[in-house]
Amino acid sequence: MMLDTNILLDALVYSNMLALLSLSLTLTIMTLKVANFAHGDLAIIGVYGAYTFLILAHVATYLTLPIAFLFGGLYALLNYVLVYSPMRRRGANFVMLMIASMAIDIATRSMLQMYADVLKLNFKVYSRAFIFNDVVFNIAGTRVRGLVLISTLSVVSLLAILYVLLMKTKFGVAMRAAIENPALAEVLGINVEKVYATSWFLAGGFAGVAGFFLPFRIPTSPDLGFIILLPIFAASILGGINSLSGAVIGGYIVGVSEILGTYLLSQPPINLSTAYRPAIPFAILILTLLLLPQGIASLWSRGE
Amino acid sequence: MANVFEIDELKVGYGKLEIIHGVTFSVEKNELFVIVGPNGSGKSTLLKGLFGLASIKGGKILFNGEDITKLPPHERSKLGLAYHPQLNNTFENLTVRENILLAGYFLDRDELERRLENVLEFLPEIRGFMERKVKTLSGGERQMVAFAMNMIKEPNTVMFDEPTAALSPKMADLIFDRIRRLKTEYGLTVVLVEQNAKKALEMGDRAMLLVTGSIKYLGPAQELLTHEDLASMYLGLRD
Amino acid sequence: MINLFLLMVDIGTMYGIFLILASSMELEYGELGIPNFGKVMFFAAGAFTVGALAVRIGTWLAGITWEGEFKTKSILYSTLVSRYFASHPLDAIAVFLFTLFLASIMGAVLGIVASYPAIRLREDYLAITLIAAGELFRIFGRNYDPLIGGTMGVGVPDVLAWLPSGAKEAGYILLSLSFAAATWLILYRLSTSPYGRTLRAIRDEELAASTLGKDIVKYRMRVLALGSAMAAVAGVIYAFYMGSVLADDFNPLKTFLVVLMVVLGGSGNPFGTLVGVAVYILLDRTLAILKHYVVLPFDINYFAMFLFGVLLLLVLMYKPEGIIPERPLLTVRAKFCRREDGTPERKLCD
């Protein structure tokens, strides 16, 4: 039984996506204090945006990556400005905000389904289970799949941008302040609503970028956003829900475990159906909640 | 000389609850005005009302002649009014420098640097922990950071809500000393809410005794300190 | 043309089934404050029990020898068993009661298992845990063929086959509505009794309730066991009414719809549940009928779901207390406010 390089590379690509998704989920949880059950849908909104652009403009696939960012970001921003922010101003409690995110999930997915119908009708294209064709780069004699290269580069550069924004700019300091103590930030004259809305836009953009990579790996459909929700939550909770770095590491742990675990369990002598794949993030989720409820971030922030 | 505060029949509360039941008083310019009273008398609520953090149920607040009753906190802040909350007055996960920088969010870089120098001259102790996260600091050091965050705004009036609560006597003396210097050296107006009534009244000009949301005494601070009934009944200053 | 009689049967039976589900959700969420987002799992437990057992017991009672795979032959054998039931009503009733009994026990046991995380986790963690557990349950049903026929689904014999046509359909309405009535009455009695006041005390102020000597863990465990058994009963009736069980039918959307009904009607008030279910069923059926008359560039089912999502959002935003709000006379409700940073704060809010 040998793990070939393709599976390891697939694990890397999947983990790259998951890291972006759990990082962005964590960013929204830090502002709203409630987990957003429509987070996976932001990725799908992003990829449908990019796909639509591809149908209309016939450009190289990777050039539509920023479109995915934009669509994901704008949709998340709309969610925050139109629903969460007014609800919170009216004193909605924790469970109500959570149910609202579930309602947004249902509305978003059915909206995407309707959109897929319209797309198919008007452009005669695959609007469900569509895939993106990859390109192969030749770097110093080594052939590298575009997906491996671009997804890794995207994660590295987005993380770097986020780090600089949060740690080195005045707006980033204001963002961290507004997340930690919105009341005090307000007193100091910081527009907390604006800061939160920006966080949502960024989070949606990150999710959109992750979504862009989906059709390179698997056929993509509107409901995929809900299917990937479990590993995203598992990664975010494993990361400690209030730690951005924890979320990224959680994304890689869950992603690699899911891909390698599913592969190993489907081999002889176990021969388990790959349909049981969600059992792996589920197990990680349960184990985290039982053994390390504060997540892995508590391992290094303890004692501070 | 115009008063800094003219408070007329002010009612303050939260939601449906009224805690301050119509108080009328004024604070003079360059005065150290002390508000004392037993626990739950509404001292903190009154300060929050003056800064726009609790809802005004009635009455009027004039600040330097301007009606600020309905202004949001950051607008009051722009008029030179500063408020030093008792709790949660700093961002724990940020460094001291970042905290102070945030307080001066709207200043340009040069102006911020200039003011920061002034503040560090006034509170030189902070120099020792500028780059540390607030959550690693002691209670007294945190109070000094919160103090600095207000000073960077160069206010004309500062309202303190129990700045020495839970501090060691030595640290409390230091804070009291700086508060006094705000008035004497910098000519600011200070409103001070204190649990430590004795210390506060000793250095105050005038004082107000607040009991269950109403004024029980308003006059010279020294007089309240030596008042036979009030001092022992409400402030525990006599046996 | 739409057959009005069959439409009424469908509306009546589905109303009953969803009323049972919504009553159990109202009991757990509205009264006790545990949002059970794994509802569909307990519903499926009931249906899967029927799917796995009804046709097997039926063939045994009828003395039919099974030939061929369960997955491919269950529909055929369920038709044969239905034919046998047509002349053996007592056997049919026995199968119904036996599966009902077993399913409610299954539901209750699963409910007790679910109470373990429900007592310990914050609501959003709990929700994702229960949703994922339900999904794994569904995936298991879908992939393990001997249980309920995998992706093909399983046939369920008609336990009312002994009634003449017409009376049989009415029989299903009656069955569904009488179980719904019983479930709702249990909810109503609990809600208006001292027990219900205790539940709401726990919901609103856990610490205070525990200082009054209430064993919160035990209360939550019991309520989840009861609520889950109720959902399993709904699954049993659903399986017999539909005549088949298909694993993929039991997806998280079902839970969402039940939540929609409870919130729409007004959580915390059993009468709200009655209304919420009715509004949903009528809206859903109207859209299903409209499907025959309106031409849209997309599937109207998606439009219906979109509408339900937006409807729930609007209710949450503009009328969070629902159509029939909770009556404050039953309990003085101390609202749990949140500070702007989201941490709970004990104070009265507007």
Side-chain angles (χ1 to χ4, degrees):
Chain A
M1 188 171 67
M2 268 291 290
L3 277 174
D4 65 43
T5 340
N6 278 333
I7 288 175
L8 291 176
L9 286 178
D10 187 45
L12 171 68
V13 171
Y14 180 66
S15 306
N16 283 341
M17 282 169 30
L18 217 48
L20 283 180
L21 285 165
S22 78
L23 170 73
S24 48
L25 175 68
T26 301
L27 191 58
T28 58
I29 292 176
M30 287 167 109
T31 60
L32 196 65
K33 314 289 172 201
V34 183
N36 171 20
F37 282 77
H39 192 73
D41 301 331
L42 296 173
I44 310 301
I45 290 276
V47 69
Y48 266 92
Y51 186 50
T52 307
F53 195 78
L54 268 181
I55 293 168
L56 295 173
H58 302 289
V59 291
T61 312
Y62 281 111
L63 290 181
T64 59
L65 183 61
I67 307 276
F69 183 97
L70 208 62
F71 268 77
L74 287 177
Y75 194 72
L77 182 66
L78 275 182
N79 282 183
Y80 182 75
V81 174
L82 295 182
V83 180
Y84 299 121
S85 174
M87 270 186 80
R88 191 157 46 182
R89 273 202 302 275
R90 274 163 230 227
N93 66 28
F94 191 87
V95 176
M96 280 163 65
L97 287 169
M98 181 178 96
I99 295 177
S101 80
M102 292 180 180
I104 290 183
D105 165 59
I106 299 290
T108 307
R109 280 193 285 145
S110 42
M111 193 178 72
L112 281 166
Q113 295 280 12
M114 288 190 280
Y115 181 68
D117 281 347
V118 173
L119 213 57
K120 190 174 172 183
L121 203 67
N122 288 324
F123 296 100
K124 311 281 178 266
V125 291
Y126 288 108
S127 61
R128 292 190 179 80
F130 64 88
I131 52 166
F132 286 168
N133 291 317
D134 207 353
V135 288
V136 174
F137 292 100
N138 196 331
I139 298 171
T142 322
R143 290 164 60 79
V144 186
R145 283 178 62 201
L147 180 59
V148 175
L149 191 70
I150 308 275
S151 71
T152 309
L153 280 179
S154 302
V155 171
V156 172
S157 47
L158 287 178
L159 285 183
I161 292 171
L162 187 66
Y163 180 82
V164 170
L165 173 73
L166 283 177
M167 306 309 284
K168 305 288 174 199
T169 70
K170 223 161 106 171
F171 186 77
V173 177
M175 247 171 102
R176 285 186 287 143
I179 283 169
E180 186 193 313
N181 189 343
L184 181 59
E186 195 101 53
V187 169
L188 294 178
I190 292 164
N191 189 336
V192 173
E193 278 301 300
K194 200 171 106 185
V195 170
Y196 280 9
T198 312
S199 310
W200 275 75
F201 175 75
L202 284 177
F206 280 36
V209 169
F212 173 81
F213 296 118
L214 281 169
F216 291 102
R217 287 187 70 247
I218 43 169
T220 301
S221 297
D223 277 340
L224 194 56
F226 186 76
I227 296 167
I228 55 174
L229 197 60
L230 174 63
I232 303 174
F233 268 63
S236 177
I237 292 173
L238 175 63
I241 219 85
N242 274 320
S243 160
L244 295 175
S245 46
V248 172
I249 295 168
Y252 282 97
I253 294 177
V254 172
V256 171
S257 321
E258 196 179 328
I259 298 287
L260 296 190
T262 309
Y263 174 74
L264 292 176
L265 290 176
S266 67
Q267 298 296 307
I270 303 173
N271 290 325
L272 199 65
S273 162
T274 52
Y276 292 109
R277 181 172 164 166
I280 293 171
F282 184 67
I284 294 177
L285 177 79
I286 298 286
L287 288 176
T288 308
L289 291 174
L290 288 178
L291 304 177
L292 201 63
Q294 303 300 313
I296 46 175
S298 63
L299 297 179
W300 63 79
S301 64
R302 202 174 281 163
E304 244 186 46
Chain B
M1 191 168 61
N3 286 329
V4 170
F5 270 119
E6 286 282 2
I7 316 285
D8 185 29
E9 276 301 311
L10 188 68
K11 293 176 177 145
V12 191
Y14 304 102
K16 290 179 180 113
L17 207 63
E18 188 183 292
I19 293 172
I20 299 293
H21 314 291
V23 295
T24 301
F25 66 97
S26 58
V27 176
E28 289 162 18
K29 198 169 163 60
N30 195 18
E31 176 177 46
L32 206 166
F33 187 84
V34 180
I35 303 175
V36 290
N39 276 333
S41 59
K43 306 183 296 285
S44 294
T45 306
L46 176 58
L47 275 205
K48 284 184 184 162
L50 293 181
F51 198 65
L53 294 170
S55 51
I56 306 294
K57 307 281 169 197
K60 207 162 144 186
I61 310 169
L62 290 187
F63 180 66
N64 288 324
E66 187 175 341
D67 187 348
I68 60 161
T69 318
K70 292 193 170 66
L71 282 190
H74 61 270
E75 294 288 338
R76 300 184 196 211
S77 177
K78 279 181 198 158
L79 295 175
L81 180 62
Y83 166 66
H84 183 116
Q86 182 184 356
L87 296 168
N88 295 323
N89 49 20
T90 47
F91 298 103
E92 298 226 322
N93 290 313
L94 305 187
T95 65
V96 173
R97 184 182 295 279
E98 284 171 338
N99 267 281
I100 298 174
L101 177 107
L102 267 182
Y105 193 66
F106 295 105
L107 302 174
D108 65 52
R109 188 179 289 268
D110 294 343
E111 178 67 9
L112 192 66
E113 284 301 318
R114 185 188 68 75
R115 290 191 186 186
L116 187 60
E117 265 319 300
N118 289 343
V119 169
L120 289 177
E121 213 164 285
F122 181 63
L123 295 161
E125 295 83 356
I126 290 184
R127 281 186 204 277
F129 44 81
M130 276 302 274
E131 307 306 331
R132 274 168 62 193
K133 282 193 179 179
V134 168
K135 65 179 169 193
T136 66
L137 300 181
S138 72
E141 289 166 335
R142 287 173 191 220
Q143 290 296 351
M144 263 191 267
V145 174
F147 208 141
M149 286 166 74
N150 266 330
M151 298 319 293
I152 204 90
K153 287 183 272 190
E154 299 196 341
N156 54 49
T157 305
V158 191
M159 304 191 289
F160 289 92
D161 192 357
E162 304 197 8
T164 68
L167 295 190
S168 68
K170 201 176 146 212
M171 191 50 96
D173 283 344
L174 186 105
I175 298 279
F176 277 134
D177 171 63
R178 299 301 151 84
I179 291 175
R180 189 176 9 225
R181 279 171 57 195
L182 283 184
K183 170 189 143 73
T184 53
E185 287 176 27
Y186 293 80
L188 301 192
T189 309
V190 177
V191 178
L192 175 62
V193 163
E194 254 302 326
Q195 273 291 329
N196 190 344
K198 188 165 184 292
K199 260 275 189 301
L201 291 175
E202 274 170 6
M203 68 187 219
D205 297 318
R206 282 193 312 139
M208 180 167 104
L209 172 63
L210 206 58
V211 178
T212 58
S214 305
I215 297 176
K216 275 269 182 288
Y217 173 89
L218 183 62
Q222 286 301 323
E223 216 165 282
L224 178 57
L225 192 57
T226 52
H227 195 288
E228 282 292 333
D229 302 330
L230 292 177
S232 59
M233 196 182 298
Y234 295 113
L235 304 172
L237 294 179
R238 302 267 174 94
D239 296 315
Chain C
M1 226 3 248
I2 297 151
N3 183 327
L4 199 64
F5 175 66
L6 286 182
L7 180 68
M8 294 314 288
V9 170
D10 197 41
I11 290 182
T13 314
M14 291 314 275
Y15 181 80
I17 291 166
F18 273 111
L19 181 56
I20 300 175
L21 287 173
S23 297
S24 72
M25 181 68 91
E26 160 62 19
L27 179 65
E28 294 159 350
Y29 171 54
E31 307 286 324
L32 187 59
I34 298 178
N36 183 351
F37 285 99
K39 187 53 73 195
V40 73
M41 174 166 56
F42 308 101
F43 184 48
F48 284 16
T49 306
V50 173
L53 294 180
V55 66
R56 285 184 169 111
I57 300 173
T59 46
W60 177 69
L61 285 175
I64 304 168
T65 1
W66 194 294
E67 282 165 21
E69 250 187 303
F70 183 73
K71 180 179 182 177
T72 47
K73 292 281 190 240
S74 76
I75 308 257
L76 170 71
Y77 281 102
S78 73
T79 332
L80 293 179
V81 173
S82 297
R83 212 170 290 160
Y84 170 78
F85 281 167
S87 52
H88 296 78
L90 285 180
D91 285 12
I93 294 170
V95 167
F96 174 73
L97 290 179
F98 178 70
T99 48
L100 181 74
F101 173 73
L102 210 65
S104 16
I105 299 215
M106 278 277 291
V109 170
L110 273 177
I112 290 171
V113 174
S115 75
Y116 187 80
I119 287 157
R120 288 159 184 83
L121 298 184
R122 168 178 134 167
E123 289 90 339
D124 48 354
Y125 294 1
L126 175 66
I128 191 70
T129 305
L130 290 178
I131 289 172
E135 279 290 89
L136 283 169
F137 201 62
R138 177 181 69 80
I139 292 169
F140 180 67
R142 188 190 147 91
N143 286 281
Y144 184 67
D145 295 344
L147 183 68
I148 50 162
T151 45
M152 302 276 286
V154 64
V156 174
D158 186 354
V159 285
L160 295 185
W162 42 278
L163 285 170
S165 171
K168 193 183 82 171
E169 285 75 16
Y172 274 110
I173 300 194
L174 208 67
L175 197 66
S176 162
L177 288 184
S178 47
F179 273 97
T183 312
W184 186 82
L185 279 174
I186 294 174
L187 165 70
Y188 180 74
R189 288 301 299 271
L190 278 178
S191 170
T192 47
S193 70
Y195 196 87
R197 282 198 290 276
T198 306
L199 296 185
R200 271 172 294 199
I202 294 173
R203 176 193 68 186
D204 294 338
E205 196 50 85
E206 185 180 328
L207 194 66
S210 67
T211 57
L212 292 173
K214 304 292 181 190
D215 186 345
I216 290 171
V217 171
K218 207 177 275 173
Y219 273 94
R220 287 190 172 157
M221 199 180 273
R222 280 188 197 145
V223 166
L224 274 170
L226 178 61
S228 304
M230 287 175 174
V233 168
V236 170
I237 297 170
Y238 184 68
F240 280 118
Y241 171 66
M242 299 298 282
S244 65
V245 176
L246 187 65
D248 282 350
D249 195 14
F250 297 87
N251 55 47
L253 211 58
K254 286 267 188 307
T255 308
F256 172 80
L257 293 176
V258 177
V259 173
L260 168 73
M261 295 171 208
V262 170
V263 173
L264 183 66
S267 69
N269 189 331
F271 290 100
T273 310
L274 286 177
V275 177
V277 179
V279 172
Y280 166 74
I281 298 274
L282 290 178
L283 208 59
D284 182 61
R285 291 296 116 171
T286 311
L287 287 165
I289 294 168
L290 274 182
K291 187 176 185 170
H292 300 283
Y293 301 101
V294 188
V295 182
L296 292 172
F298 41 76
D299 189 335
I300 196 169
N301 289 330
Y302 296 134
F303 181 67
M305 285 322 300
F306 178 71
L307 217 58
F308 292 139
V310 173
L311 179 66
L312 181 52
L313 268 184
L314 292 177
V315 172
L316 285 169
M317 289 177 73
Y318 299 105
K319 203 167 174 11
E321 70 281 6
I323 297 172
I324 304 183
E326 180 177 348
R327 281 173 300 173
L329 283 178
L330 292 175
T331 161
V332 179
R333 183 169 184 184
K335 275 191 187 164
F336 224 3
C337 284
R338 278 176 187 277
R339 294 197 192 93
E340 277 173 53
D341 62 354
T343 54
E345 182 179 33
R346 290 285 309 130
K347 67 166 197 197
L348 296 168
C349 17
D350 319 273

